[in-house]
Amino acid sequence: MLSTLRKASFAFVGVATAATLAFGAGTASAGQDGPLVKNPNGSASAWFQSNRDTFWVGDWKKDGYSTAAVWAVMTPCGGLNPPCPNFAVNKKGNNTGVPVKYDLSENLPLRYRACTVDKHNNLKSCSDLKSAIS
């Protein structure tokens, strides 16, 4: 019995550590907007507005890619998988910024980054990871 509990606690710590490494450590207070982030060449931007649960996603260069705020909450996909990412996509093209609204639970910590994505939502170029709270 003790061995099973130890294994379970090590698995939990392992998952928590992997999630922290994958999505970064950060602190934020309830209802906190996230910072504006841009990918390295400035073609994609994202900002999270907490009072409307809205990602603002910008596409600032004509490069053949769409842009997206790629985000995740610290909720596992199931089993020992890492948190599930979501995509708030802007497919309107060059020089556009669009709001993508969600109905999130209150005080939900999330992490996000601004990326360019191809037509299959494969990530091409992303910003650093930042934090916000719904």
Side-chain angles (χ1 to χ4, degrees):
M1 177 69 175
L2 184 57
S3 177
T4 303
L5 288 174
R6 277 192 191 143
K7 287 178 184 176
S9 67
F10 282 120
F12 177 78
V13 170
V15 170
T17 301
T20 300
L21 291 173
F23 287 95
T27 60
S29 61
Q32 177 183 349
D33 290 346
L36 174 69
V37 293
K38 295 181 180 180
N39 70 334
N41 71 3
S43 61
S45 68
W47 175 62
F48 180 75
Q49 181 183 8
S50 67
N51 69 346
R52 297 278 191 257
D53 292 340
T54 302
F55 280 100
W56 293 86
V57 184
D59 186 338
W60 308 116
K61 291 191 177 178
K62 187 172 184 174
D63 57 9
Y65 293 115
S66 295
T67 59
V70 180
W71 63 278
V73 297
M74 300 312 288
T75 305
C77 293
L80 296 177
N81 294 324
C84 306
N86 286 295
F87 296 85
V89 180
N90 174 356
K91 293 189 179 252
K92 299 229 180 235
N94 181 35
N95 288 324
T96 62
V98 299
V100 182
K101 297 182 181 208
Y102 292 91
D103 185 16
L104 301 173
S105 298
E106 295 301 313
N107 302 321
L108 185 66
L110 55 97
R111 308 270 192 259
Y112 66 97
R113 59 181 71 212
C115 300
T116 52
V117 295
D118 66 17
K119 65 182 179 180
H120 302 292
N121 286 338
N122 295 313
L123 305 180
K124 296 300 177 183
S125 170
C126 294
S127 69
D128 290 335
L129 197 59
K130 297 298 178 180
S131 301
I133 295 192
S134 65

